[in-house]
Amino acid sequence: MNSTIEVKIDGNKIYSPLRDKWLVLTPEELVRQNYVCRLVKVYGYTLEQMDEELKVNNAHRGQGKARADIVIWKSKEDKKKNKAAFIVVECKAENVKIRQEDYYQGANYAAWSGASFFVTTNEKETKFFRVDKDSMPKYLDEIIDIPQASIIDDQKKVNKLLSQTKAFSRDEFAKLLQKCHNIIRNNDKLSPEAAFDEISKILFMKIRYERSPDEEVLFSLEKFRRDEQQFEKNIKKHLPKEAQMPYMQYLFKATKDEFAEDKLFDSYETIKIKQYSFEQIVKELEKYNLSATSDDIKGIAFEHFLGTTFRGELGQFFTPRTIVDFMVEILDPQEGEIICDPTCGSGGFLIKSFEYIREKIEKDVENYKKELKAKLFDAKYEKLPEKEQLKVNEKYSNILKKLNSDINVPNKSYSKQTDAEKNRRISKLSSSCIYGTDANPRMARTSKMNMIMHGDGHGGVHHHDGLVNVNGIFENRFDVILTNPPFGSRIEKDYKLSETDRFYDADKLKEYAKRYGDECVKQIKELNQAIDNGQKILDRFDLGKISGLTEVLFMERCLKLLKPGGRMGIVLPEGVLNNSNLQKVRDYFESEAKILLITSIPQDVFIASGATIKPSLLFFKRFTEEEKKQYAEAKNKATKTIDKGYASLMQQIEDKYTNNKKTKTKALKEIEAKKEIEIKEKTKELFNYEIPIVQVEKAGITTTGAKCENELEDVAKEFKNYRDLKGLWTINKPNISYRMSGEQLIRITNGVEEVIDE
């Protein structure tokens, strides 16, 4: 019976073989019954040595008299005699992300039942922990797997599994990726960039494999070879001729299909290294479950590996982390704000912004969890009968599930998400608030990969010219722009918009109208018309007649992408601030935006990335409508004042050179030039505000890329106080709170109530 066990579903009911009864089909119950089948079919345990919904008691307020989802004993005899359990499993619905801090309670159940292993699963990811039976866990030691039933009486093998902790540091993972890089360099002689592409393919093959609940936990070399034999023997011959490929390529095709909407790989892409190299890399990576590895460890390690791989020739695509952290901290993006980097490179600014806001949201939800726990598990709780305490515990557990669902990114593309999934707080951040483009196809793909490694937010990233609109990236849309544009190159005067810039998908246009509004559609149609007219790129910019420098054009592009009152942080060559040839560029920006802060940083910071120009960090705020009006009034008043002061002199010139037009024109032109300078000075005097300028000697990174003192951290703290004191901008953070209504959890956003569904 056990070997042929399958999950049975009939309408809204699901069968529990452990209880021999039909239960209501819920997302969590489906996960539990699937895992019971997995324990039998993959690990070899029998139904007779398992139980579910087992009551576990303890003496700690708010954590006891609860029920464990699945309990496994070493044998059916141990179960009958009520001996200590061997494994305790806690199941969560598929949309509930596994967060260690929410599983201490389950780990406690395992400790109180005497178990050696504790498992958490939501099908998409499964985590295994060893149990400290002598004390309540302050943190959980993650291990690579639980034992097969066949070895549970072999204490030596069980102890070995208990000792194989899965925790590893960012440095370990980064070194491991570098080791994989060296395998390709030595075996396949590929360039660093091409080798990185191949490692990326294998990483995403591994992620796809380990997300699948039907597979063994780890993508190991042994499993690959076993499956390869099965494929060659029983599957390959039945496939269409075009699909009869080596198993390594077949697995990569499945990965391309899995991530098709993310556009990580071109349809024609294949694995371009020898199978021997592929197998060596799989072997190196096999002890780590990438789907279960925390975003922090995985993401930072991947980013570090990027930096070492692309240092030099492609170093311009990587803004040092200390600079990224500082710039995000200065602009302080909030939940609900829309953020863009039109030259995103490897995605550093977008990733940091995503993490920065996600942390704010998670802290907010964590505070509500604490309030809720204090409210439910008060002195009255201790006096309740056990049956009533169980009800309170179950209520608390259900609310936690709903709260967790509000801060989890769905494991599917935006188009496939339900309305409830799109409405989650983290979903909105991931799918509707983070946008970027890069003109280099490898970097656009890398940025997407980098963001997935850090926990998502990649859907708004595109391979596209950052100077031209695409998808949700259009003018007057963004609250925050963070960017490090390309320096020193020029857009040629005769360079025109091309057909690659044209938007032609009518169905997408309808989707954009619904998602982004009429302004997006209007700007897309205007762009298409400009292509028809053969418009030059420089003619699309106010500053195009003054300069074709990419840094100048991107300054204007970013300014126009901002909403009125939106703020921008940009890395620029110091020459933009002091080169006399660019005075008109500075005048333009002073007439459109307020300078919030100028930070001069040492050239050392970017030398490790291959840059040679001394950079500055500029922070602007585009004028609000009121500030625009104030500036216009100041300029108008200044013009009248200066005009009045020069009126008599102008008349004298007119009278004196009545019969000498050439001399008169020259004299009047000189006066107009003086007037222009004085009007500018007078306007600044009337529209006066403080501009903080900071010189930093050490910014956390040396010329070799090593860490050093970081004065930017203190600057960020001081600026926060200054910003609050001066009220430099209005914080757009939504007012969000939660409340219970019976069994429902209600999220209240700026007074609007919404029911939170799992």
Side-chain angles (χ1 to χ4, degrees):
M1 177 182 118
N2 286 351
S3 60
T4 58
I5 187 171
E6 298 290 344
V7 174
K8 297 178 185 176
I9 296 174
D10 185 4
N12 68 341
K13 297 286 186 180
I14 186 168
Y15 181 67
S16 165
L18 289 176
R19 283 182 272 179
D20 191 23
K21 62 190 284 191
W22 288 89
L23 307 171
V24 175
L25 177 58
T26 63
E28 185 173 324
E29 196 60 59
L30 178 61
V31 171
R32 171 156 54 187
Q33 297 311 324
N34 275 329
Y35 203 72
V36 167
C37 289
R38 181 174 177 77
L39 286 166
V40 173
K41 294 165 79 171
V42 176
Y43 289 95
Y45 293 102
T46 65
L47 294 177
E48 291 76 23
Q49 69 190 109
M50 288 190 269
D51 203 350
E52 62 187 26
E53 284 290 290
L54 185 72
K55 187 170 69 176
V56 182
N57 294 300
N58 81 102
H60 292 263
R61 177 185 294 181
Q63 295 180 321
K65 302 184 177 69
R67 298 180 185 274
D69 289 332
I70 304 172
V71 178
I72 303 114
W73 284 266
K74 283 190 172 183
S75 65
K76 62 181 181 180
E77 289 76 20
D78 281 2
K79 176 184 172 182
K80 284 179 183 176
K81 294 176 183 177
N82 203 25
K83 287 190 174 182
F86 186 52
I87 303 168
V88 168
V89 182
E90 186 165 352
C91 302
K92 299 293 180 186
E94 182 184 320
N95 62 6
V96 178
K97 188 172 182 179
I98 293 178
R99 295 176 185 277
Q100 217 178 72
E101 61 270 20
D102 291 330
Y103 289 87
Y104 292 136
Q105 180 168 301
N108 286 340
Y109 298 164
W112 296 322
S113 63
S116 299
F117 297 89
F118 169 54
V119 181
T120 65
T121 182
N122 65 359
E123 281 203 1
K124 287 294 182 187
E125 53 180 340
T126 301
K127 295 189 177 186
F128 310 96
F129 305 97
R130 64 184 179 195
V131 179
D132 185 345
K133 302 175 189 177
D134 299 320
S135 62
M136 297 304 140
K138 291 181 181 176
Y139 60 90
L140 301 176
D141 284 333
E142 195 172 348
I143 55 176
I144 62 170
D145 204 353
I146 53 174
Q148 297 280 327
S150 57
I151 70 162
I152 56 177
D153 291 321
D154 189 332
Q155 195 58 47
K156 189 175 180 180
K157 289 183 178 178
V158 170
N159 287 341
K160 184 179 179 182
L161 267 177
L162 286 168
S163 68
Q164 289 180 314
T165 57
K166 203 185 70 58
F168 61 99
S169 70
R170 299 168 186 172
D171 288 345
E172 276 183 86
F173 191 33
K175 286 176 183 175
L176 184 64
L177 292 176
Q178 192 59 48
K179 189 173 182 181
C180 295
H181 185 275
N182 293 341
I183 288 170
I184 294 175
R185 184 192 64 191
N186 295 336
N187 294 349
D188 303 274
K189 316 304 181 194
L190 297 184
S191 69
E193 296 83 4
F196 167 79
D197 287 344
E198 298 309 301
I199 291 170
S200 296
K201 292 171 187 175
I202 298 171
L203 286 173
F204 279 86
M205 289 170 73
K206 183 174 171 65
I207 288 171
R208 183 203 70 84
Y209 182 96
E210 290 167 356
R211 279 180 179 176
S212 172
D214 300 323
E215 302 286 2
E216 289 183 16
V217 176
L218 295 176
F219 184 47
S220 66
L221 179 57
E222 181 186 350
K223 182 72 166 69
F224 170 77
R225 286 176 173 169
R226 211 162 56 227
D227 288 351
E228 183 182 36
Q229 287 181 356
Q230 171 76 3
F231 174 78
E232 293 290 341
K233 185 178 179 182
N234 301 318
I235 299 173
K236 186 175 178 179
K237 60 187 175 185
H238 299 297
L239 295 173
K241 191 172 182 180
E242 65 272 13
Q244 292 187 11
M245 57 187 73
Y247 183 59
M248 174 180 75
Q249 302 292 356
Y250 182 77
L251 272 184
F252 180 56
K253 183 181 181 304
T255 303
K256 287 192 293 183
D257 293 343
E258 174 89 6
F259 292 99
E261 281 197 41
D262 301 312
K263 298 180 180 175
L264 293 182
F265 307 103
D266 291 323
S267 58
Y268 56 80
E269 275 284 356
T270 60
I271 300 290
K272 295 184 174 69
I273 55 175
K274 301 179 181 76
Q275 181 156 331
Y276 175 68
S277 302
F278 175 85
E279 291 183 354
Q280 276 191 287
I281 291 169
V282 170
K283 180 68 176 173
E284 289 296 334
L285 294 171
E286 69 180 20
K287 60 182 175 178
Y288 301 123
N289 185 327
L290 288 187
S291 288
T293 303
S294 76
D295 297 333
D296 183 48
I297 287 174
K298 185 167 54 184
I300 298 296
F302 187 75
E303 201 169 333
H304 176 76
F305 175 54
L306 285 176
T308 56
T309 302
F310 290 108
R311 183 175 294 165
E313 184 185 348
L314 294 176
Q316 72 269 25
F317 293 106
F318 297 88
T319 308
R321 185 79 180 190
T322 58
I323 303 302
V324 170
D325 290 350
F326 172 70
M327 293 177 70
V328 172
E329 191 81 29
I330 290 294
L331 294 186
D332 190 25
Q334 300 292 322
E335 180 178 4
E337 291 193 312
I338 308 174
I339 299 151
C340 181
D341 180 353
T343 61
C344 65
S346 64
F349 285 119
L350 300 180
I351 288 163
K352 178 61 181 180
S353 298
F354 178 79
E355 291 176 332
Y356 186 85
I357 299 171
R358 180 175 61 184
E359 187 178 345
K360 286 174 181 280
I361 295 171
E362 289 177 345
K363 280 183 180 177
D364 187 35
V365 171
E366 191 59 38
N367 287 337
Y368 181 73
K369 287 179 183 179
K370 290 175 182 176
E371 290 174 16
L372 183 67
K373 189 170 184 179
K375 184 177 179 181
L376 290 178
F377 302 116
D378 56 9
K380 292 179 184 177
Y381 170 88
E382 294 301 314
K383 297 174 184 177
L384 292 174
E386 181 178 319
K387 191 173 181 180
E388 294 301 312
Q389 286 188 342
L390 283 172
K391 286 182 179 178
V392 174
N393 286 3
E394 187 174 351
K395 180 180 180 180
Y396 179 61
S397 178
N398 287 335
I399 297 170
L400 286 188
K401 290 175 196 171
K402 291 174 180 177
L403 282 168
N404 285 340
S405 75
D406 209 22
I407 55 175
N408 290 333
V409 177
N411 194 16
K412 60 183 82 167
S413 63
Y414 181 83
S415 62
K416 293 179 181 177
Q417 291 174 24
T418 64
D419 288 342
E421 287 171 334
K422 290 176 183 177
N423 196 38
R424 296 177 190 172
R425 291 173 74 176
I426 296 291
S427 294
K428 288 178 182 177
L429 170 63
S430 172
S431 63
S432 303
C433 295
I434 305 288
Y435 291 84
T437 59
D438 201 277
N440 182 299
R442 174 178 272 129
M443 295 319 302
R445 183 174 70 249
T446 298
S447 179
K448 281 177 173 285
M449 291 178 174
N450 202 1
M451 295 196 81
I452 290 171
M453 288 289 184
H454 279 82
D456 219 346
H458 64 285
V461 177
H462 301 272
H463 167 222
H464 199 72
D465 183 350
L467 294 172
V468 181
N469 293 347
V470 62
N471 191 354
I473 301 175
F474 54 93
E475 292 178 8
N476 298 301
R477 175 151 200 258
F478 294 95
D479 298 284
V480 176
I481 300 283
L482 285 149
T483 195
N484 178 7
F487 300 168
S489 58
R490 291 180 181 273
I491 301 294
E492 296 300 324
K493 290 181 180 180
D494 58 352
Y495 183 57
K496 295 180 180 180
L497 290 167
S498 68
E499 283 299 314
T500 58
D501 300 316
R502 184 183 295 280
F503 191 90
Y504 53 85
D505 191 327
D507 291 334
K508 277 286 183 187
L509 201 60
K510 290 177 184 176
E511 180 191 323
Y512 289 175
K514 183 179 177 182
R515 189 171 178 189
Y516 304 122
D518 293 338
E519 183 60 29
C520 174
V521 176
K522 178 183 172 185
Q523 291 190 34
I524 285 173
K525 289 181 177 178
E526 182 276 326
L527 176 63
N528 286 347
Q529 186 61 53
I531 294 169
D532 290 337
N533 296 337
Q535 188 181 41
K536 296 174 183 177
I537 290 280
L538 290 180
D539 289 344
R540 296 181 64 78
F541 292 88
D542 297 333
L543 294 173
K545 294 181 180 64
I546 299 171
S547 175
L549 285 170
T550 49
E551 57 263 39
V552 170
L553 297 179
F554 271 108
M555 283 176 75
E556 181 180 337
R557 168 67 169 162
C558 291
L559 193 65
K560 288 182 173 177
L561 286 173
L562 288 172
K563 297 173 181 176
R567 51 208 190 276
M568 170 172 67
I570 185 168
V571 182
L572 289 172
E574 209 153 80
V576 174
L577 296 178
N578 50 36
N579 189 325
S580 59
N581 294 333
L582 296 175
Q583 181 59 50
K584 287 187 176 180
V585 172
R586 294 191 288 275
D587 292 342
Y588 174 83
F589 281 95
E590 288 179 12
S591 70
E592 298 286 338
K594 275 189 171 181
I595 301 172
L596 299 170
L597 173 69
I598 299 172
T599 306
S600 177
I601 57 175
Q603 189 173 336
D604 297 6
V605 175
F606 281 88
I607 285 178
S609 299
T612 56
I613 298 171
K614 186 171 180 357
S616 285
L617 312 178
L618 271 68
F619 299 89
F620 296 92
K621 184 188 79 171
R622 187 177 180 183
F623 284 162
T624 61
E625 291 301 327
E626 180 59 29
E627 287 166 338
K628 194 172 183 179
K629 183 180 175 184
Q630 289 170 0
Y631 183 84
E633 288 173 352
K635 186 174 182 180
N636 187 45
K637 188 174 180 180
T639 302
K640 285 180 179 179
T641 302
I642 302 304
D643 280 349
K644 187 177 179 181
Y646 278 91
S648 62
L649 180 58
M650 298 282 277
Q651 189 59 51
Q652 288 173 28
I653 292 171
E654 289 278 358
D655 296 340
K656 185 176 180 180
Y657 301 110
T658 302
N659 299 320
N660 190 337
K661 189 176 179 182
K662 187 175 181 181
T663 304
K664 181 175 73 172
T665 301
K666 183 181 178 184
L668 288 175
K669 196 172 182 180
E670 288 174 356
I671 295 298
E672 287 296 340
K674 288 181 181 179
K675 280 174 60 179
E676 186 180 342
I677 292 169
E678 291 184 26
I679 287 170
K680 251 189 287 184
E681 290 173 353
K682 188 65 178 176
T683 302
K684 285 183 181 181
E685 182 186 315
L686 295 170
F687 189 76
N688 188 28
Y689 64 93
E690 187 178 2
I691 301 176
I693 300 174
V694 180
Q695 175 79 41
V696 169
E697 299 298 331
K698 294 184 179 178
I701 187 168
T702 67
T703 52
T704 61
K707 288 183 179 180
C708 68
E709 183 186 346
N710 187 2
E711 297 170 12
L712 291 173
E713 293 173 353
D714 290 332
V715 174
K717 289 174 187 173
E718 289 174 21
F719 182 80
K720 172 69 168 61
N721 295 332
Y722 171 80
R723 183 194 95 193
D724 292 344
L725 181 67
K726 299 289 185 179
L728 294 185
W729 65 80
T730 302
I731 294 176
N732 297 318
K733 180 182 176 183
N735 184 11
I736 296 178
S737 60
Y738 297 90
R739 71 174 180 84
M740 290 300 301
S741 177
E743 295 300 311
Q744 288 186 324
L745 178 66
I746 310 291
R747 183 182 62 226
I748 308 158
T749 307
N750 295 332
V752 178
E753 296 193 351
E754 297 168 289
V755 176
I756 304 298
D757 293 318
E758 292 178 49

